[in-house]
Amino acid sequence: MSTSEPPTWPHCAHGADPAANPVGCRGVHVPGHTACLAHLADTDRDAYLANLTPGANIEHQGTTFTNSLLDALLNALRDPATGYSRLGHAGFQSANFERDAGFGSATFEGHAGFQSAAFKGDARFESATFKRDARFESAAFKGDAWFGSATFERDAGFGSAAFKGDAWFGSATFKRDAGFESATFKRDARFQSATFKRDAGFESATFKDHAGFQSATFERRAWFESATFKGDARFESATFKGDAWFGSATFEREARFGSATFKDHAWFLSATFTGYARFQSATFERGAAFELAAFKGDAWFGSATFERDARFESATFKGDAWFGSATFERDARFESATFTEADQFGPLVCARRVVLSGAVFGGPVTLSFAARRLECRRTRWSSTAEIRLRYATVDFAHAVFEYPLTIAAEPDPFVLTDGRQLAEDPFPSAPDPGVQVASLRGVDAAHLVLSDLDLSGCLFAGTVHLDQLRLEGACTFDTAPPAVHWRRWPPVRFTARRVLAEEHHWRASQPGAMRGWNVAVLGAGRAGPLQLAPVYRALRKAFEDGKHEPGAADFYYGEMEMRRHADDIPRSERGLLTAYWALSGYGLRASRALAWLGGAMLLTIVLLMAFGLAQDTPKQTATGTIPAGGGKVTFEIDKDDPQNPTGNRFTGQRFENALNVTLNSVVFRSSGQDLTTAGTYIEMTSRLTEPVLLGLAVLAVRNRVKR
């Protein structure tokens, strides 16, 4: 802002006690006289006023004006064409207006200087026009100050001014900078519908009663840093086209910004809201920064729209935090925020991330979000909580909670308190509102409930008390690649089962990995078989406790797979586990055990036909001796040894006999067939192995159908 030089004219010596004020009257001399206008002789004053014409420059710094004296001066400057006073350069610095000062509809064509002026009655400047700078710094308005519909075509300076009565600036127009820095408004400050075309500076201003800026328009920057609003601060429907700076401002009663529009950045860093903070239906077209803000009363952001990032990092919400129907078109960041008593957070819509990492919730709370991603890393929950989500991917790594916490997918759009459904405009073409969990690492899952979530990409390694995790509804996991891989012999086909994301990443990162294992699992690279075996074991127990035996069987399979591939396993144990896997899929794959059983039976039949069955049924021979002279005859019954087969061994009869021996071996019975020595050993081997394979098949079937 431009400044005007202090007056250099000589001061009037009348009207003061020289002992108390050696300078005497501070009014400047009227040109050509040795007294100020107030102490000028009547004839000289009349002559001076008679010589004034509309638009004349006047200098009356320090002069004391009564109503009659001011009226006479303004009448001398009245323009006959308009009926209103027209002043050129007007110097009223340190002037004293004993009663009302009526400058209504006056036009100041030059600089208007009222610095340190004292208005003991009302100061009336309504509809006045200031064509050059208007300077009211340190002015004292003891009555009401009326500037309604005034027009300031150049800078308007009210820095450190004191308004002891109401200050009326409604519909005023400030075409250049408006400075109210450190001004004090002891009663109402009314700027409704005022227009600030350049910067509006209210830094460190104090509003001791209501401050009304409803429907005001700030076309450039609005500076309210460190301002203090002791009464209601009302900015409803205000428009901020430039940056709005409210950093460190204090709102001791209600702060009302309902339906306000912030077209540029809105800065509320470290602001303090002691009463209600109302931003319902406000629109933030650029960034909204509320970092370190303190909301001691309720914070209302219902139906607000944030078109860019909204930042509430380290903010404190001691009352309710109402964000129902709020729309965040980009990130909503609440890192390290504190929610002391909020029982509802949402439902809201966020097109990108809702970040609650490091946030603290002090009481029971329900969070309802339709968002792309929810980050709750190191979030602390001091009471029960329920998180209901749509479309989101959740990162819950290292979150801390001591009471039951539920994360659930909401199948239908959220319903608002008035019965309407929450509009989900950022997700017009999203086919599935399902919710995915990205990570539970570092979480104590003893009180965690997951409902209807997609866990296919979830990282579990490092989760504590995972065996106590409760899975409700349709929680899904990733699966092994289903296709047959022909790149090596024999072809590889992975068993269909539930698989953790970490196993996908580990298998995909191994040399010669088969296609189908997903390597793109963020943060999964640190977990190998040694770390994943206990994870599978804990999840198996969680499924068993939930009476979900098929799911438990899948995680048992995964546990055994990780044990088999772990680096710390002895070679003998690895060989045993490999055999267990190959024969029956760890007692879980009936088809594999039955295939081996069928192969063993076929091999047994072939071996018996080739080597085990005798050529012919051995003949029995009876021999005895008849004693001389008669008497009892004793016979010895003997049987020929079975003869090894010769000739055609693979006949239908021999197949039937071999099948009979094999089937009896499966159920651990002897067939009673005549076998060669080799056949006896073949039968013994089959009676040992085939019942085991049959038992593994039966066990696998039971594990898959048990509930």
Side-chain angles (χ1 to χ4, degrees), residues 20 134 136 196 229 457 601:
F136 289 84
F196 300 86
F229 298 86
M601 292 174 64

Side-chain angles (χ1 to χ4, degrees), residues 7-17 20-30 34-39 59-65 91-96 116:
T8 58
W9 293 10
H11 293 287
C12 176
H14 299 330
D17 181 4
N21 184 1
V23 178
C25 174
R26 294 185 176 274
V28 299
H29 294 175
V30 174
T34 59
C36 69
L37 184 62
H39 295 106
E59 295 287 348
H60 295 293
Q61 295 92 331
T63 302
T64 299
F65 287 91
F92 290 96
Q93 295 91 330
S94 301
N96 292 299
S116 301

